[in-house]
């Protein structure tokens, strides 16, 4: 009996090890980032990583840096950029490492500190000494990292439905779980699962959960957010992001921030509720908060006129 049990265990282990290679997916018709780029797209290699970004306006004007959230890209700011341009700002929107049309790869550093340093280095490359920094959701943590690490680069910090990882956040359990995704055979399973189940249909469902008004999730919106799925090895960046998430605690408490801060929040945000925004408002001394009523987690897309009005009054 023991021999049969032992044999069964061995068989299961062999299956677990081999399954990722047995159940392979058919190849897809992937495209290069340059083929998907828009007319304002630019690519630059920063510290060995190829980054996609867009530039609008005259560089003599005050600069605004737009940092998207998880799963986002420059597409996130499609309704924000025209308003900034009309009001004579120099606008830079970028795709962080592993997102949009920027380079992806399992060996890249996806920590928010690394992403913040990427923004800093891009500013250096473009000759931008100081800018208004706007960060949405995950991008809010990246923007806050930039503010704490390179305060001289930040004229004002604008946090939009920001996901903030404070210094005392418990990273031990997160670290233990996240590291499993890089261990064989779990890494192979992760690739298979992502390839099979992250589709444009999944993107639509995710956006619907983020938006307050579900009717705003159009085919155009879904196509914009699903564009990165057309690039080969897109799943590698997600694995790397999960692996590196335990590194994302801010180096200093929010109370230490001395820059002016504006907080913008969607009242109907079910991803990061309004109470979190209020906590951030209390912790950052002197920060000012605005709430947009008919918006969820994506106020710049759901209520662009209200969002732009708040943003523009703050960029002084």
């Amino acid at each position: 009996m023991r021999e049969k049990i032992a044999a069964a265990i061995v068989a299961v282990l062999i299956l677990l090890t081999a399954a990722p290679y047995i159940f392979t997916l058919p190849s897809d018709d992937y495209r290069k980032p340059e083929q998907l780029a828009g007319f304002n797209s630019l690519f630059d290699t920063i510290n060995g990583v190829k980054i996609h970004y867009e530039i609008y306006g005259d560089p003599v004007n005050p600069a605004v840096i737009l940092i998207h959230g998880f799963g986002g890209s420059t597409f996130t700011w499609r309704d924000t950029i025209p308003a900034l341009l009309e009001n004579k700002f120099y606008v830079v929107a970028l795709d962080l490492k592993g997102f949009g049309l920027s380079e992806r790869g399992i060996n890249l550093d996806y920590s928010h500190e690394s992403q913040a340093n990427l923004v800093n280095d891009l500013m250096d490359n473009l000759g931008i000494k100081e800018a208004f920094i706007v960060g949405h959701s995950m991008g809010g943590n990246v923007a806050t990292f930039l503010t704490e690490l390179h305060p001289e680069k930040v004229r004002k910090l604008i946090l939009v439905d920001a996901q903030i990882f404070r210094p005392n956040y418990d990273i031990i359990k997160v670290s233990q779980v996240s590291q499993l995704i890089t261990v064989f055979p779990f890494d192979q399973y992760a690739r298979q699962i992502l390839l099979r189940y992250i589709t444009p249909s999944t993107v639509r469902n995710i956006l619907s959960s983020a938006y307050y008004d579900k009717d705003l999730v159009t085919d155009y919106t879904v196509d914009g957010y699903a564009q990165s799925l057309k690039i080969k090895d897109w799943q590698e960046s997600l694995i790397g992001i999960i692996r590196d998430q335990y590194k994302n605690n801010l180096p200093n408490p929010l109370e230490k921030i001395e820059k002016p801060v504006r907080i913008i929040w969607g009242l109907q945000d079910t991803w990061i509720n309004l109470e979190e925004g209020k906590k951030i408002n209390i912790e950052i001394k002197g920060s000012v908060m605005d709430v947009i009523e008919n918006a969820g987690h994506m106020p710049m897309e759901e209520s662009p006129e209200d969002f732009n009005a708040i943003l523009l009054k703050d960029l002084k």
Side-chain angles (χ1 to χ4, degrees), residues 154-205:
V154 181
R155 183 169 176 178
K156 193 166 194 175
L157 174 64
I158 296 95
L159 298 175
V160 185
D161 294 73
Q163 181 184 41
I164 300 297
F165 294 95
R166 294 162 176 78
N168 59 354
Y169 182 73
D170 184 7
I171 63 172
I172 296 177
K173 292 181 180 179
V174 174
S175 174
Q176 292 172 341
V177 174
S178 65
Q179 296 307 294
L180 283 175
I181 202 168
T182 62
V183 177
F184 182 84
F186 299 108
D187 58 339
Q188 298 300 326
Y189 279 115
R191 289 180 175 87
Q192 294 288 326
I193 291 170
L194 289 171
L195 285 168
R196 287 184 183 277
Y197 295 108
I198 303 298
T199 65
S201 177
T202 307
V203 172
R204 182 181 295 276
N205 292 336

Side-chain angles (χ1 to χ4, degrees), residues 39-40 54-58 61 64 66 74-93 220 300-301 304-305 307-309 311-312 315:
F39 71 94
N40 248 51
E54 298 175 5
I55 292 179
Y56 301 85
D58 191 330
N61 293 331
V64 180
L66 301 173
T74 59
F75 181 76
T76 298
W77 306 107
R78 63 195 178 279
D79 294 320
T80 308
I81 292 170
L84 292 172
L85 190 58
E86 183 179 345
N87 285 270
K88 300 187 183 306
F89 286 97
Y90 179 52
V91 186
V92 179
Y220 171 73
M300 74 292 289
E301 300 182 36
E305 290 185 5
F307 177 83
N308 292 336
L311 184 63
L312 287 168
L315 303 184

Side-chain angles (χ1 to χ4, degrees), residues 204-258:
R204 182 181 295 276
N205 292 336
I206 293 172
L207 286 172
S208 293
S209 70
Y211 276 49
Y212 172 59
D213 183 353
K214 314 305 180 187
D215 291 337
L216 294 175
V217 183
T218 63
D219 290 343
Y220 171 73
T221 309
V222 174
D223 289 344
Y225 276 99
Q227 186 181 57
S228 63
L229 300 181
K230 300 175 183 178
I231 302 172
K232 187 177 181 181
D233 295 331
W234 60 263
Q235 72 279 6
E236 298 297 310
S237 63
L238 286 182
I239 293 172
I241 290 164
I242 294 170
R243 177 200 64 210
D244 293 340
Q245 64 180 318
Y246 75 96
K247 302 177 183 179
N248 294 337
N249 285 16
L250 292 168
N252 301 305
L254 294 177
E255 291 89 339
K256 298 289 185 180
I257 294 177
E258 297 181 348

